[in-house]
């Protein structure tokens, strides 16, 4: 999450590093790219190893991915730059787009390949009708700032340094989803550079199969999106809140037991997550956002406390405008080293004590449940590529790590994930991508996998946009 474990991550493609130094480096076909020619044709900048600025340009958010070194970084200043870069590198070296650089396993920095750095394509324009055109390199902070100034809102993730592209292409869970739906539900059209260098506009009426796939099919599978157009809503008055509970395994179990029916019964104006922190003595917090005044929110929070039977030791409830509410969830912008994974709860867990037991004795570990429901479930499972419409919640498993501790932390995350699987919690969210997830194609896409494969082959038959967990490899 850039990365405050009080709240929830909103990465561009994330997950546990299945084992140290893994994540599946894509094999280089053969570097016969005319880099000098590409540099001359670009209006932006092409950086190669040894060039000033290359080392900073290639690095992603998670320092554990610093060993992934591309052959070049194309800092694209225009759609024409993207097209030239794709055509120059296609079928010669791996190609991947980078927006915010939050891919947990570093897929946007293909070793020996070409990173399409889209961060210069970050303009956000809000039209009088409320529609917003957003460059694919824009961060959530860019988007929320521009929309806040126009008194509009778009549901999205929490981390301000995450790119809008990864969020939207994977579905886009966030703090307003129960009221307004996923980010991808607001997508009107997308401009895409395909593997053969064409620039297409995908919408409900133009390239409809591609448009369907871009709403939840995951980043990096179908081409390089350069611009989005989103429908937005009037910015509402919001209440943000955070409740901290006294630490103990018993208290965390009680809060989880009470939180599940509470959020299930809550009005869709309310979103909340439950962050359970591991250690010798586990602890937990509930944080969230309510579309409405704090007076109404406090009544709902009192109900949570009554259901849990545990009095909070900390309680923070504040009325905020849209941008300041999003800032409340934003966390630190600094690079952070971590190992993470995800699962999806189809229904509330019937074993709260067993879930809490997975965290006991694991300091630095967090298990974060983010509530789905509400407007997310209003859309059919196969109406977009995002399949988890009827699920109860997503689960993040997140642990701080260093290069020295990565192997041990990865094993610990894997043990928690395996424990959740034993409890019947098996599916995953593609934006928290995990190379160790069994049958990951089905886990991420469910009944939409076959159609996604067909779309990927139709628009990229030569697998130019290939990586270890590309749809075509599922």
């Amino acid at each position: 999450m850039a990365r405050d474990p009080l709240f929830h991550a909103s990465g561009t493609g994330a997950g546990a590093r299945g084992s140290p130094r893994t994540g599946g480096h894509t094999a280089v076909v053969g570097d016969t790219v005319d880099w000098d020619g590409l540099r001359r044709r670009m209006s932006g900048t092409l950086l190669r190893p040894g060039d000033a600025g290359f080392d900073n340009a290639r690095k992603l958010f998670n320092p554990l991915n610093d060993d992934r070194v591309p052959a070049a970084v194309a800092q694209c200043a225009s759609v024409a730059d993207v097209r030239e870069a794709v055509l120059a590198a296609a079928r010669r070296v791996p190609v991947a787009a980078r927006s915010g650089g939050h891919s947990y396993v570093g897929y946007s920095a293909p070793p020996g390949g070409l990173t399409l750095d889209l961060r210069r394509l970050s303009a956000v324009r809000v039209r009088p009708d409320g529609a917003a055109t957003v460059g694919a390199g824009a961060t959530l902070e860019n988007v929320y700032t521009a929309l806040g100034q126009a008194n509009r809102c778009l549901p999205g993730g929490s981390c301000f340094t995450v790119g809008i592209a990864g969020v939207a292409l994977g579905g886009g869970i966030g703090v307003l989803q129960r009221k307004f739906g996923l980010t991808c539900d607001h997508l009107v059209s997308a401009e895409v550079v395909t593997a053969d260098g064409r620039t297409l506009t995908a919408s409900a009426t133009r390239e409809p199969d591609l448009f369907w796939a871009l709403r939840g099919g995951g980043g990096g599978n179908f081409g390089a999106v350069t611009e989005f157009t989103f429908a937005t809503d009037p910015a509402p008055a919001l209440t943000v809140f955070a409740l901290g509970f006294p630490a103990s395994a018993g208290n965390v179990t009680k809060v989880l037991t009470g939180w599940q029916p509470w959020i299930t019964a809550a009005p869709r104006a309310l979103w909340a997550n439950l962050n359970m922190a591991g250690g010798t003595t586990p602890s937990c917090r509930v944080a969230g956002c309510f579309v409405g005044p704090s007076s109404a929110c406090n009544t709902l929070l009192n109900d949570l406390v009554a259901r849990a039977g545990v009095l909070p030791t900390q309680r923070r409830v504040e009325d905020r405008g849209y941008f300041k509410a999003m800032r409340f969830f934003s966390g630190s912008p600094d690079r952070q080293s971590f190992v993470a994974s995800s699962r999806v709860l189809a229904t509330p867990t019937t074993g709260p004590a067993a879930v809490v037991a997975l965290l006991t004795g694991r300091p630095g570990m967090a298990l974060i449940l983010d509530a789905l429901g509400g407007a997310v479930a209003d859309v059919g499972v196969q109406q977009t590529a995002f399949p988890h419409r009827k699920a109860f919640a997503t689960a993040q498993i997140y642990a701080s790590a260093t290069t020295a501790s990565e192997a041990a932390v990865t094993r610990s995350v894997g043990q928690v994930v395996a424990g959740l699987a034993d409890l019947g919690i098996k599916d995953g969210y593609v934006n928290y991508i995990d190379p160790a997830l069994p049958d990951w194609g089905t886990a991420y896409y469910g009944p939409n996998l076959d159609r996604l494969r067909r779309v990927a082959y139709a628009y990229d038959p030569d697998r130019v946009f290939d990586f270890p967990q590309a749809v075509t490899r599922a």
Side-chain angles (χ1 to χ4, degrees):
M1 32 211 133
R3 241 140 198 92
D4 182 347
L6 173 62
F7 305 120
H8 72 102
S10 52
T12 62
R17 299 168 62 87
S19 60
R21 303 299 117 209
T22 67
H25 293 191
T26 306
V28 177
V29 176
D31 188 349
T32 58
V33 180
D34 179 6
W35 297 116
D36 290 336
L38 175 59
R39 180 180 279 117
R40 289 192 297 270
R41 294 191 297 274
M42 286 181 59
S43 58
T45 303
L46 183 74
L47 297 174
R48 300 208 64 210
D51 292 343
F54 171 81
D55 203 45
N56 283 333
R58 72 171 182 85
K59 289 180 179 177
L60 306 179
F61 181 79
N62 189 343
L64 295 183
N65 293 319
D66 284 354
D67 62 330
R68 299 177 65 90
V69 183
V73 176
Q75 295 179 319
C76 300
S78 66
V79 176
D81 281 355
V82 178
R83 182 175 61 250
E84 291 289 352
V86 170
L87 290 174
R91 293 179 297 281
R92 295 177 177 87
V93 296
V95 180
R98 173 213 172 121
S99 180
H102 280 251
S103 171
Y104 283 11
V105 290
Y107 288 150
S108 51
L114 173 64
T115 293
L116 304 172
D117 187 341
L118 305 179
R119 289 176 292 178
R120 296 186 182 186
L121 304 178
S122 60
V124 181
R125 300 177 297 276
V126 184
R127 301 199 301 244
D129 64 358
T133 57
V134 181
T139 64
L140 292 182
E141 182 173 21
N142 299 146
V143 174
Y144 294 155
T145 299
L147 290 178
Q149 291 170 348
N151 201 31
R152 307 294 296 185
C153 85
L154 177 72
S158 59
C159 173
F160 268 27
T161 58
V162 161
I164 185 64
V167 172
L169 294 172
I173 64 174
V175 303
L176 294 175
Q177 64 189 18
R178 284 171 53 85
K179 177 65 174 180
F180 296 109
L182 303 176
T183 309
C184 72
D185 296 336
H186 291 250
L187 185 63
V188 175
S189 64
E191 180 182 72
V192 187
V193 174
T194 57
D196 57 3
R198 292 178 295 160
T199 301
L200 304 178
T201 297
S203 69
T205 56
R206 301 171 63 184
E207 313 292 341
D209 285 342
L210 179 59
F211 181 63
W212 173 86
L214 294 175
R215 291 176 293 158
N221 280 306
F222 313 103
V225 178
T226 53
E227 186 177 78
F228 301 89
T229 298
F230 295 104
T232 66
D233 293 290
L238 300 170
T239 301
V240 296
F241 59 86
L243 279 67
F245 294 89
S248 82
N251 284 338
V252 177
T253 300
K254 289 178 181 179
V255 174
L256 174 55
T257 300
W259 179 83
Q260 292 188 129
W262 172 75
I263 196 63
T264 300
R268 59 178 57 200
L270 178 75
W271 173 89
N273 70 7
L274 173 59
N275 184 320
M276 296 171 281
T280 303
T281 304
S283 61
C284 70
R285 293 183 178 183
V286 172
C289 187
F290 176 69
V291 182
S294 59
S295 56
C297 182
N298 271 312
T299 299
L300 293 167
L301 296 180
N302 292 340
D303 180 41
L304 169 63
V305 172
R307 288 174 183 263
V310 182
L311 292 176
T313 54
Q314 297 176 325
R315 179 165 173 158
R316 181 181 179 185
V317 184
E318 298 178 5
D319 292 285
R320 292 197 178 195
Y322 170 68
F323 180 78
K324 289 186 176 180
M326 297 303 101
R327 173 68 73 183
F328 180 76
F329 298 100
S330 63
S332 169
D334 298 332
R335 298 178 80 211
Q336 295 178 31
S337 299
F338 59 92
V339 174
S341 187
S342 77
R343 290 299 181 266
V344 176
L345 282 72
T347 60
T349 178
T350 57
V355 170
V356 176
L358 294 173
L359 298 171
T360 302
R362 300 184 193 274
M365 180 80 70
L367 175 59
I368 308 168
L369 303 184
D370 295 320
L372 296 172
V376 177
D378 290 344
V379 179
V381 169
Q382 294 183 283
Q383 193 171 336
T384 68
F386 181 85
H388 308 299
R389 294 291 180 174
K390 309 307 178 185
F392 166 64
T394 56
Q396 300 173 67
I397 306 92
Y398 179 92
S400 299
T402 64
T403 301
S405 68
E406 181 184 3
V409 173
T410 298
R411 284 194 298 272
S412 187
V413 168
Q415 289 163 358
V416 173
V417 167
L420 293 174
D422 289 341
L423 295 172
I425 303 169
K426 298 181 179 180
D427 287 344
Y429 175 41
V430 69
N431 271 2
Y432 307 140
I433 207 163
D434 180 353
L437 177 62
D439 193 17
W440 50 265
T442 300
Y444 295 143
Y445 305 119
N448 297 328
L449 177 58
D450 286 345
R451 185 178 177 187
L452 283 168
R453 285 197 196 102
R454 292 195 298 271
V455 175
Y457 279 119
Y459 286 90
D460 186 8
D462 296 321
R463 292 170 59 170
V464 169
F465 294 98
D466 185 37
F467 60 100
Q469 287 183 281
V471 163
T472 50
R473 293 196 181 204

